[in-house]
Amino acid sequence: QVQLVESGGGSVQAGGSLRLSCAASGYSYWAYSVAWFRQAPDKEREGVATIDTTQDTAYADSVKGRFTISRDNAKNILYLQMNSLKPEDTAMYYCARHRNMWRGTTLNPYDYNLWGQGTQVTVSS
């Protein structure tokens, strides 16, 4: 079964850290760019970070220097290390797979066609 399953969300105070994980199965994980997106209530889904098959990465300006995306192709797992969390980081976080193989980094959600169910991150002030 082709799927993505996120875990690691939770509630933390501002300044804290969380590490999200996304387990991929049912396809050649190593051949696709993958990314993290987030969506807060009444807001559009926004790209947070992406990593391609060459380990090249890209980040939204709002998380640069605080978040780190990485992937383990041996375990088919995508990670998002989130440090110095802020209340504005509160959202549902989703991992996603690019719709085509061997593409670069992109934070456009329309470039992705496989999504996980999401994991909630709540940051209190």
Side-chain angles (χ1 to χ4, degrees):
Q1 183 178 2
V2 178
Q3 64 178 0
L4 300 171
V5 180
E6 302 97 334
S7 61
S11 297
V12 296
Q13 290 192 329
S17 298
L18 282 174
R19 187 196 197 198
L20 305 184
S21 299
C22 172
S25 60
Y27 73 97
S28 300
Y29 174 73
W30 44 269
Y32 289 83
S33 299
V34 282
W36 288 98
F37 291 81
R38 66 186 180 187
Q39 188 166 19
D42 300 323
K43 291 189 176 180
E44 292 188 355
R45 189 167 297 191
E46 65 168 338
V48 174
T50 180
I51 184 167
D52 69 12
T53 58
T54 68
Q55 304 286 340
D56 193 21
T57 60
Y59 295 90
D61 288 343
S62 59
V63 306
K64 281 181 182 177
R66 299 189 297 122
F67 291 10
T68 302
I69 190 171
S70 61
R71 64 189 299 169
D72 184 333
N73 288 340
K75 297 181 179 179
N76 291 356
I77 299 179
L78 175 69
Y79 300 102
L80 185 68
Q81 178 66 44
M82 305 185 295
N83 298 328
S84 302
L85 282 161
K86 304 175 181 180
E88 51 263 44
D89 294 318
T90 295
M92 185 72 78
Y93 283 70
Y94 301 88
C95 62
R97 186 200 74 178
H98 199 285
R99 61 179 64 249
N100 295 309
M101 298 171 68
W102 309 117
R103 299 302 172 97
T105 56
T106 170
L107 289 175
N108 184 341
Y110 295 102
D111 289 328
Y112 295 82
N113 67 348
L114 178 65
W115 297 83
Q117 83 289 348
T119 186
Q120 178 69 36
V121 172
T122 302
V123 184
S124 58
S125 57

Short mmCIF file of all heavy atoms in Angstrom, two decimals, residues 26-87:
data_model
loop_
_atom_site.label_atom_id
_atom_site.label_comp_id
_atom_site.label_asym_id
_atom_site.label_seq_id
_atom_site.Cartn_x
_atom_site.Cartn_y
_atom_site.Cartn_z
N GLY A 26 5.42 1.38 0.15
CA GLY A 26 4.71 1.03 -1.07
C GLY A 26 5.26 1.62 -2.36
O GLY A 26 4.66 1.41 -3.42
N TYR A 27 6.36 2.34 -2.30
CA TYR A 27 6.93 2.91 -3.52
C TYR A 27 8.43 3.13 -3.30
O TYR A 27 8.94 2.96 -2.20
CB TYR A 27 6.25 4.23 -3.89
CG TYR A 27 6.60 5.41 -3.00
CD1 TYR A 27 7.57 6.32 -3.39
CD2 TYR A 27 5.95 5.63 -1.79
CE1 TYR A 27 7.91 7.40 -2.60
CE2 TYR A 27 6.27 6.71 -1.00
CZ TYR A 27 7.25 7.60 -1.40
OH TYR A 27 7.58 8.68 -0.61
N SER A 28 9.12 3.51 -4.39
CA SER A 28 10.57 3.72 -4.33
C SER A 28 10.87 5.08 -3.71
O SER A 28 11.06 6.09 -4.40
CB SER A 28 11.16 3.64 -5.74
OG SER A 28 10.90 2.39 -6.33
N TYR A 29 10.91 5.10 -2.41
CA TYR A 29 11.05 6.34 -1.64
C TYR A 29 12.24 7.17 -2.11
O TYR A 29 12.16 8.39 -2.22
CB TYR A 29 11.18 5.98 -0.16
CG TYR A 29 11.46 7.14 0.75
CD1 TYR A 29 10.49 8.08 1.05
CD2 TYR A 29 12.72 7.29 1.32
CE1 TYR A 29 10.74 9.13 1.89
CE2 TYR A 29 13.00 8.35 2.17
CZ TYR A 29 12.00 9.27 2.44
OH TYR A 29 12.26 10.32 3.28
N TRP A 30 13.35 6.50 -2.40
CA TRP A 30 14.60 7.19 -2.72
C TRP A 30 14.53 7.96 -4.04
O TRP A 30 15.39 8.78 -4.32
CB TRP A 30 15.74 6.16 -2.79
CG TRP A 30 15.37 4.92 -3.54
CD1 TRP A 30 14.83 3.78 -3.03
CD2 TRP A 30 15.46 4.71 -4.96
NE1 TRP A 30 14.60 2.87 -4.02
CE2 TRP A 30 14.96 3.40 -5.22
CE3 TRP A 30 15.91 5.49 -6.03
CZ2 TRP A 30 14.92 2.87 -6.50
CZ3 TRP A 30 15.86 4.95 -7.30
CH2 TRP A 30 15.36 3.66 -7.53
N ALA A 31 13.55 7.70 -4.86
CA ALA A 31 13.46 8.30 -6.19
C ALA A 31 12.61 9.56 -6.25
O ALA A 31 12.47 10.16 -7.32
CB ALA A 31 12.93 7.27 -7.18
N TYR A 32 12.04 9.96 -5.13
CA TYR A 32 11.12 11.09 -5.12
C TYR A 32 11.55 12.18 -4.15
O TYR A 32 12.02 11.88 -3.04
CB TYR A 32 9.72 10.64 -4.71
CG TYR A 32 9.00 9.81 -5.73
CD1 TYR A 32 9.24 8.44 -5.81
CD2 TYR A 32 8.07 10.38 -6.59
CE1 TYR A 32 8.58 7.66 -6.75
CE2 TYR A 32 7.39 9.60 -7.52
CZ TYR A 32 7.65 8.25 -7.59
OH TYR A 32 6.98 7.49 -8.51
N SER A 33 11.33 13.42 -4.54
CA SER A 33 11.42 14.52 -3.60
C SER A 33 10.26 14.41 -2.62
O SER A 33 9.16 13.98 -2.98
CB SER A 33 11.33 15.87 -4.32
OG SER A 33 12.39 16.03 -5.24
N VAL A 34 10.52 14.80 -1.38
CA VAL A 34 9.49 14.80 -0.36
C VAL A 34 9.54 16.13 0.40
O VAL A 34 10.55 16.83 0.34
CB VAL A 34 9.66 13.62 0.62
CG1 VAL A 34 9.15 12.32 0.01
CG2 VAL A 34 11.10 13.45 1.06
N ALA A 35 8.46 16.42 1.08
CA ALA A 35 8.37 17.73 1.73
C ALA A 35 7.45 17.70 2.93
O ALA A 35 6.65 16.77 3.11
CB ALA A 35 7.85 18.76 0.72
N TRP A 36 7.57 18.74 3.72
CA TRP A 36 6.65 19.00 4.84
C TRP A 36 5.85 20.26 4.51
O TRP A 36 6.42 21.27 4.08
CB TRP A 36 7.42 19.22 6.14
CG TRP A 36 8.03 17.98 6.69
CD1 TRP A 36 9.32 17.56 6.58
CD2 TRP A 36 7.36 16.98 7.49
NE1 TRP A 36 9.50 16.36 7.22
CE2 TRP A 36 8.30 15.98 7.80
CE3 TRP A 36 6.06 16.84 7.96
CZ2 TRP A 36 7.99 14.86 8.57
CZ3 TRP A 36 5.74 15.72 8.73
CH2 TRP A 36 6.70 14.75 9.02
N PHE A 37 4.57 20.17 4.75
CA PHE A 37 3.66 21.30 4.64
C PHE A 37 2.94 21.48 5.97
O PHE A 37 2.94 20.58 6.80
CB PHE A 37 2.63 21.06 3.53
CG PHE A 37 3.22 21.07 2.14
CD1 PHE A 37 3.87 19.96 1.63
CD2 PHE A 37 3.13 22.21 1.34
CE1 PHE A 37 4.42 19.97 0.36
CE2 PHE A 37 3.67 22.23 0.07
CZ PHE A 37 4.32 21.12 -0.42
N ARG A 38 2.32 22.63 6.15
CA ARG A 38 1.51 22.84 7.33
C ARG A 38 0.29 23.67 6.98
O ARG A 38 0.30 24.43 6.01
CB ARG A 38 2.32 23.51 8.44
CG ARG A 38 2.77 24.92 8.16
CD ARG A 38 3.69 25.42 9.27
NE ARG A 38 4.15 26.79 9.04
CZ ARG A 38 5.05 27.40 9.80
NH1 ARG A 38 5.60 26.76 10.83
NH2 ARG A 38 5.40 28.64 9.52
N GLN A 39 -0.73 23.50 7.79
CA GLN A 39 -1.96 24.26 7.58
C GLN A 39 -2.58 24.59 8.92
O GLN A 39 -2.90 23.70 9.71
CB GLN A 39 -2.94 23.48 6.72
CG GLN A 39 -4.16 24.29 6.30
CD GLN A 39 -4.95 23.62 5.19
OE1 GLN A 39 -4.82 22.42 4.95
NE2 GLN A 39 -5.76 24.41 4.49
N ALA A 40 -2.70 25.89 9.17
CA ALA A 40 -3.36 26.37 10.37
C ALA A 40 -4.83 26.63 10.05
O ALA A 40 -5.20 26.80 8.88
CB ALA A 40 -2.69 27.65 10.85
N PRO A 41 -5.70 26.66 11.08
CA PRO A 41 -7.12 26.91 10.84
C PRO A 41 -7.35 28.19 10.06
O PRO A 41 -6.72 29.21 10.34
CB PRO A 41 -7.69 27.00 12.25
CG PRO A 41 -6.77 26.18 13.08
CD PRO A 41 -5.40 26.41 12.50
N ASP A 42 -8.17 28.12 9.05
CA ASP A 42 -8.55 29.27 8.23
C ASP A 42 -7.39 29.84 7.41
O ASP A 42 -7.45 31.00 6.98
CB ASP A 42 -9.16 30.38 9.09
CG ASP A 42 -10.41 29.91 9.81
OD1 ASP A 42 -11.18 29.12 9.21
OD2 ASP A 42 -10.60 30.31 10.97
N LYS A 43 -6.34 29.05 7.24
CA LYS A 43 -5.22 29.49 6.41
C LYS A 43 -4.95 28.46 5.32
O LYS A 43 -5.31 27.28 5.46
CB LYS A 43 -3.97 29.71 7.25
CG LYS A 43 -4.06 30.89 8.20
CD LYS A 43 -2.72 31.19 8.83
CE LYS A 43 -2.77 32.42 9.70
NZ LYS A 43 -1.45 32.73 10.32
N GLU A 44 -4.31 28.89 4.26
CA GLU A 44 -3.95 27.98 3.19
C GLU A 44 -2.78 27.09 3.61
O GLU A 44 -1.98 27.45 4.47
CB GLU A 44 -3.57 28.77 1.93
CG GLU A 44 -4.74 29.50 1.29
CD GLU A 44 -4.38 30.10 -0.04
OE1 GLU A 44 -3.19 30.04 -0.43
OE2 GLU A 44 -5.28 30.64 -0.72
N ARG A 45 -2.70 25.93 2.95
CA ARG A 45 -1.57 25.05 3.20
C ARG A 45 -0.31 25.70 2.66
O ARG A 45 -0.29 26.22 1.54
CB ARG A 45 -1.81 23.70 2.53
CG ARG A 45 -0.81 22.64 2.89
CD ARG A 45 -1.28 21.27 2.45
NE ARG A 45 -2.51 20.87 3.14
CZ ARG A 45 -3.02 19.65 3.10
NH1 ARG A 45 -2.42 18.71 2.38
NH2 ARG A 45 -4.12 19.36 3.73
N GLU A 46 0.76 25.68 3.46
CA GLU A 46 2.01 26.29 3.04
C GLU A 46 3.16 25.31 3.14
O GLU A 46 3.20 24.46 4.04
CB GLU A 46 2.32 27.54 3.89
CG GLU A 46 2.58 27.27 5.35
CD GLU A 46 3.17 28.46 6.08
OE1 GLU A 46 3.76 29.35 5.43
OE2 GLU A 46 3.05 28.49 7.33
N GLY A 47 4.09 25.45 2.22
CA GLY A 47 5.27 24.61 2.24
C GLY A 47 6.22 25.04 3.34
O GLY A 47 6.45 26.24 3.53
N VAL A 48 6.78 24.08 4.06
CA VAL A 48 7.70 24.35 5.15
C VAL A 48 9.13 24.03 4.74
O VAL A 48 10.03 24.85 4.88
CB VAL A 48 7.31 23.54 6.40
CG1 VAL A 48 8.34 23.71 7.50
CG2 VAL A 48 5.92 23.93 6.88
N ALA A 49 9.33 22.81 4.25
CA ALA A 49 10.68 22.37 3.87
C ALA A 49 10.56 21.21 2.90
O ALA A 49 9.60 20.45 2.96
CB ALA A 49 11.48 21.95 5.10
N THR A 50 11.57 21.09 2.04
CA THR A 50 11.58 20.01 1.07
C THR A 50 13.00 19.50 0.88
O THR A 50 13.97 20.24 1.10
CB THR A 50 11.00 20.46 -0.27
OG1 THR A 50 11.03 19.37 -1.20
CG2 THR A 50 11.79 21.61 -0.87
N ILE A 51 13.12 18.24 0.51
CA ILE A 51 14.42 17.63 0.24
C ILE A 51 14.27 16.73 -0.98
O ILE A 51 13.31 15.97 -1.09
CB ILE A 51 14.92 16.85 1.48
CG1 ILE A 51 16.33 16.30 1.26
CG2 ILE A 51 13.96 15.75 1.90
CD1 ILE A 51 16.99 15.80 2.55
N ASP A 52 15.26 16.83 -1.90
CA ASP A 52 15.13 16.03 -3.11
C ASP A 52 16.02 14.79 -3.03
O ASP A 52 16.57 14.47 -1.98
CB ASP A 52 15.42 16.89 -4.35
CG ASP A 52 16.87 17.32 -4.47
OD1 ASP A 52 17.74 16.79 -3.74
OD2 ASP A 52 17.15 18.19 -5.32
N THR A 53 16.14 14.10 -4.16
CA THR A 53 16.87 12.84 -4.16
C THR A 53 18.38 13.01 -4.03
O THR A 53 19.09 12.04 -3.74
CB THR A 53 16.57 12.06 -5.45
OG1 THR A 53 16.93 12.87 -6.57
CG2 THR A 53 15.09 11.70 -5.54
N THR A 54 18.88 14.23 -4.23
CA THR A 54 20.31 14.50 -4.06
C THR A 54 20.61 15.09 -2.69
O THR A 54 21.74 15.53 -2.44
CB THR A 54 20.80 15.48 -5.14
OG1 THR A 54 20.21 16.76 -4.92
CG2 THR A 54 20.45 14.98 -6.53
N GLN A 55 19.62 15.13 -1.82
CA GLN A 55 19.73 15.71 -0.48
C GLN A 55 19.75 17.24 -0.50
O GLN A 55 20.05 17.87 0.52
CB GLN A 55 20.96 15.20 0.28
CG GLN A 55 21.05 13.70 0.41
CD GLN A 55 20.08 13.11 1.43
OE1 GLN A 55 19.58 13.81 2.30
NE2 GLN A 55 19.80 11.82 1.31
N ASP A 56 19.46 17.83 -1.63
CA ASP A 56 19.31 19.27 -1.69
C ASP A 56 18.03 19.67 -0.96
O ASP A 56 17.02 18.95 -1.04
CB ASP A 56 19.24 19.75 -3.14
CG ASP A 56 19.40 21.25 -3.26
OD1 ASP A 56 19.95 21.86 -2.33
OD2 ASP A 56 18.94 21.81 -4.28
N THR A 57 18.09 20.79 -0.22
CA THR A 57 16.95 21.20 0.60
C THR A 57 16.53 22.63 0.29
O THR A 57 17.30 23.42 -0.26
CB THR A 57 17.29 21.11 2.10
OG1 THR A 57 18.40 21.97 2.39
CG2 THR A 57 17.63 19.68 2.50
N ALA A 58 15.29 22.94 0.66
CA ALA A 58 14.78 24.29 0.57
C ALA A 58 13.80 24.51 1.72
O ALA A 58 13.12 23.56 2.14
CB ALA A 58 14.09 24.53 -0.77
N TYR A 59 13.74 25.75 2.21
CA TYR A 59 12.91 26.06 3.37
C TYR A 59 12.09 27.32 3.12
O TYR A 59 12.52 28.23 2.39
CB TYR A 59 13.80 26.30 4.60
CG TYR A 59 14.56 25.10 5.06
CD1 TYR A 59 15.85 24.82 4.55
CD2 TYR A 59 14.04 24.23 6.00
CE1 TYR A 59 16.56 23.71 4.97
CE2 TYR A 59 14.74 23.12 6.44
CZ TYR A 59 15.99 22.87 5.91
OH TYR A 59 16.70 21.77 6.34
N ALA A 60 10.97 27.39 3.77
CA ALA A 60 10.22 28.63 3.82
C ALA A 60 11.01 29.63 4.65
O ALA A 60 11.70 29.25 5.61
CB ALA A 60 8.85 28.39 4.46
N ASP A 61 10.92 30.90 4.29
CA ASP A 61 11.67 31.93 5.01
C ASP A 61 11.33 31.94 6.50
O ASP A 61 12.19 32.21 7.35
CB ASP A 61 11.38 33.31 4.41
CG ASP A 61 12.03 33.49 3.05
OD1 ASP A 61 12.95 32.72 2.70
OD2 ASP A 61 11.62 34.42 2.33
N SER A 62 10.09 31.63 6.82
CA SER A 62 9.64 31.69 8.20
C SER A 62 10.28 30.65 9.12
O SER A 62 10.22 30.79 10.34
CB SER A 62 8.12 31.54 8.25
OG SER A 62 7.71 30.31 7.68
N VAL A 63 10.89 29.61 8.54
CA VAL A 63 11.47 28.55 9.37
C VAL A 63 12.97 28.39 9.18
O VAL A 63 13.60 27.58 9.87
CB VAL A 63 10.78 27.19 9.10
CG1 VAL A 63 9.26 27.32 9.27
CG2 VAL A 63 11.13 26.64 7.73
N LYS A 64 13.55 29.15 8.28
CA LYS A 64 14.99 29.04 8.03
C LYS A 64 15.78 29.30 9.31
O LYS A 64 15.50 30.25 10.04
CB LYS A 64 15.43 30.04 6.96
CG LYS A 64 15.11 29.59 5.54
CD LYS A 64 15.59 30.62 4.51
CE LYS A 64 15.23 30.19 3.11
NZ LYS A 64 15.62 31.22 2.10
N GLY A 65 16.76 28.44 9.55
CA GLY A 65 17.58 28.57 10.74
C GLY A 65 16.99 27.93 11.98
O GLY A 65 17.68 27.80 13.00
N ARG A 66 15.72 27.51 11.91
CA ARG A 66 15.07 26.88 13.06
C ARG A 66 14.70 25.43 12.76
O ARG A 66 14.75 24.59 13.66
CB ARG A 66 13.81 27.65 13.44
CG ARG A 66 14.06 29.09 13.83
CD ARG A 66 12.79 29.73 14.41
NE ARG A 66 11.70 29.80 13.43
CZ ARG A 66 10.51 29.25 13.63
NH1 ARG A 66 10.24 28.59 14.76
NH2 ARG A 66 9.56 29.35 12.71
N PHE A 67 14.30 25.14 11.54
CA PHE A 67 13.86 23.80 11.15
C PHE A 67 14.92 23.15 10.26
O PHE A 67 15.58 23.82 9.46
CB PHE A 67 12.55 23.85 10.38
CG PHE A 67 11.35 24.24 11.19
CD1 PHE A 67 11.45 24.74 12.48
CD2 PHE A 67 10.08 24.11 10.65
CE1 PHE A 67 10.34 25.11 13.22
CE2 PHE A 67 8.95 24.47 11.36
CZ PHE A 67 9.09 24.98 12.65
N THR A 68 15.03 21.83 10.38
CA THR A 68 15.94 21.06 9.53
C THR A 68 15.22 19.83 9.00
O THR A 68 14.70 19.03 9.79
CB THR A 68 17.19 20.62 10.30
OG1 THR A 68 17.86 21.77 10.82
CG2 THR A 68 18.14 19.87 9.38
N ILE A 69 15.20 19.69 7.68
CA ILE A 69 14.61 18.52 7.05
C ILE A 69 15.72 17.53 6.70
O ILE A 69 16.82 17.93 6.32
CB ILE A 69 13.80 18.91 5.79
CG1 ILE A 69 12.98 17.73 5.27
CG2 ILE A 69 14.71 19.48 4.72
CD1 ILE A 69 12.00 18.12 4.16
N SER A 70 15.42 16.25 6.86
CA SER A 70 16.38 15.21 6.49
C SER A 70 15.61 13.96 6.10
O SER A 70 14.42 13.82 6.41
CB SER A 70 17.34 14.92 7.64
OG SER A 70 16.66 14.45 8.78
N ARG A 71 16.31 13.07 5.42
CA ARG A 71 15.68 11.82 5.00
C ARG A 71 16.65 10.65 5.18
O ARG A 71 17.85 10.82 5.01
CB ARG A 71 15.21 11.91 3.54
CG ARG A 71 16.33 12.08 2.52
CD ARG A 71 15.78 12.39 1.12
NE ARG A 71 14.93 11.32 0.61
CZ ARG A 71 14.16 11.44 -0.48
NH1 ARG A 71 14.11 12.58 -1.15
NH2 ARG A 71 13.43 10.42 -0.89
N ASP A 72 16.08 9.51 5.53
CA ASP A 72 16.85 8.28 5.66
C ASP A 72 16.32 7.32 4.60
O ASP A 72 15.25 6.73 4.78
CB ASP A 72 16.68 7.71 7.07
CG ASP A 72 17.55 6.47 7.31
OD1 ASP A 72 17.87 5.75 6.33
OD2 ASP A 72 17.88 6.22 8.47
N ASN A 73 17.04 7.19 3.50
CA ASN A 73 16.56 6.37 2.40
C ASN A 73 16.63 4.87 2.71
O ASN A 73 15.95 4.07 2.06
CB ASN A 73 17.34 6.67 1.12
CG ASN A 73 16.99 8.02 0.53
OD1 ASN A 73 15.93 8.60 0.83
ND2 ASN A 73 17.87 8.56 -0.29
N ALA A 74 17.46 4.49 3.66
CA ALA A 74 17.53 3.08 4.05
C ALA A 74 16.29 2.67 4.84
O ALA A 74 15.84 1.52 4.76
CB ALA A 74 18.78 2.83 4.87
N LYS A 75 15.73 3.61 5.61
CA LYS A 75 14.56 3.31 6.44
C LYS A 75 13.26 3.87 5.85
O LYS A 75 12.19 3.65 6.41
CB LYS A 75 14.76 3.88 7.85
CG LYS A 75 15.93 3.27 8.61
CD LYS A 75 16.04 3.88 9.99
CE LYS A 75 17.19 3.25 10.77
NZ LYS A 75 17.33 3.86 12.13
N ASN A 76 13.37 4.59 4.74
CA ASN A 76 12.19 5.22 4.12
C ASN A 76 11.48 6.17 5.08
O ASN A 76 10.24 6.15 5.20
CB ASN A 76 11.19 4.16 3.61
CG ASN A 76 11.72 3.38 2.42
OD1 ASN A 76 12.80 3.67 1.92
ND2 ASN A 76 10.96 2.41 1.97
N ILE A 77 12.25 6.99 5.76
CA ILE A 77 11.69 7.92 6.73
C ILE A 77 12.15 9.34 6.43
O ILE A 77 13.32 9.57 6.12
CB ILE A 77 12.07 7.55 8.18
CG1 ILE A 77 11.53 6.16 8.52
CG2 ILE A 77 11.50 8.58 9.16
CD1 ILE A 77 11.89 5.70 9.93
N LEU A 78 11.23 10.27 6.53
CA LEU A 78 11.49 11.70 6.40
C LEU A 78 11.37 12.33 7.79
O LEU A 78 10.48 11.96 8.56
CB LEU A 78 10.47 12.33 5.45
CG LEU A 78 10.51 13.84 5.27
CD1 LEU A 78 11.77 14.26 4.53
CD2 LEU A 78 9.26 14.31 4.54
N TYR A 79 12.26 13.27 8.08
CA TYR A 79 12.24 13.92 9.39
C TYR A 79 12.11 15.43 9.24
O TYR A 79 12.50 16.01 8.21
CB TYR A 79 13.54 13.63 10.16
CG TYR A 79 13.79 12.17 10.42
CD1 TYR A 79 14.70 11.46 9.65
CD2 TYR A 79 13.14 11.52 11.46
CE1 TYR A 79 14.95 10.12 9.91
CE2 TYR A 79 13.38 10.17 11.72
CZ TYR A 79 14.29 9.49 10.94
OH TYR A 79 14.53 8.16 11.19
N LEU A 80 11.60 16.05 10.29
CA LEU A 80 11.62 17.50 10.40
C LEU A 80 11.97 17.84 11.85
O LEU A 80 11.15 17.64 12.75
CB LEU A 80 10.29 18.13 10.01
CG LEU A 80 10.29 19.67 10.00
CD1 LEU A 80 11.17 20.19 8.87
CD2 LEU A 80 8.87 20.22 9.85
N GLN A 81 13.18 18.31 12.05
CA GLN A 81 13.60 18.77 13.38
C GLN A 81 13.21 20.24 13.51
O GLN A 81 13.65 21.07 12.70
CB GLN A 81 15.11 18.61 13.55
CG GLN A 81 15.63 19.10 14.89
CD GLN A 81 15.12 18.28 16.06
OE1 GLN A 81 15.09 17.05 16.01
NE2 GLN A 81 14.72 18.96 17.12
N MET A 82 12.40 20.53 14.51
CA MET A 82 11.89 21.89 14.71
C MET A 82 12.40 22.42 16.05
O MET A 82 12.07 21.88 17.10
CB MET A 82 10.36 21.89 14.68
CG MET A 82 9.77 21.27 13.43
SD MET A 82 7.98 21.42 13.34
CE MET A 82 7.50 20.42 14.72
N ASN A 83 13.21 23.45 15.99
CA ASN A 83 13.77 24.09 17.17
C ASN A 83 13.25 25.52 17.29
O ASN A 83 12.74 26.09 16.33
CB ASN A 83 15.29 24.09 17.11
CG ASN A 83 15.88 22.70 17.06
OD1 ASN A 83 15.34 21.75 17.63
ND2 ASN A 83 17.01 22.57 16.39
N SER A 84 13.41 26.09 18.47
CA SER A 84 12.98 27.48 18.72
C SER A 84 11.56 27.71 18.23
O SER A 84 11.28 28.70 17.54
CB SER A 84 13.94 28.45 18.04
OG SER A 84 15.27 28.25 18.50
N LEU A 85 10.68 26.82 18.60
CA LEU A 85 9.30 26.90 18.11
C LEU A 85 8.60 28.15 18.62
O LEU A 85 8.85 28.62 19.74
CB LEU A 85 8.54 25.65 18.53
CG LEU A 85 8.84 24.41 17.67
CD1 LEU A 85 8.42 23.14 18.38
CD2 LEU A 85 8.15 24.53 16.32
N LYS A 86 7.72 28.67 17.76
CA LYS A 86 6.96 29.88 18.06
C LYS A 86 5.47 29.56 18.00
O LYS A 86 5.06 28.63 17.31
CB LYS A 86 7.28 30.97 17.03
CG LYS A 86 8.75 31.31 16.90
CD LYS A 86 8.98 32.31 15.77
CE LYS A 86 10.44 32.64 15.61
NZ LYS A 86 10.68 33.62 14.52
N PRO A 87 4.64 30.34 18.67
CA PRO A 87 3.20 30.10 18.59
C PRO A 87 2.68 30.08 17.15
O PRO A 87 1.75 29.33 16.84
CB PRO A 87 2.61 31.26 19.40
CG PRO A 87 3.67 31.58 20.40
CD PRO A 87 4.97 31.38 19.66
#
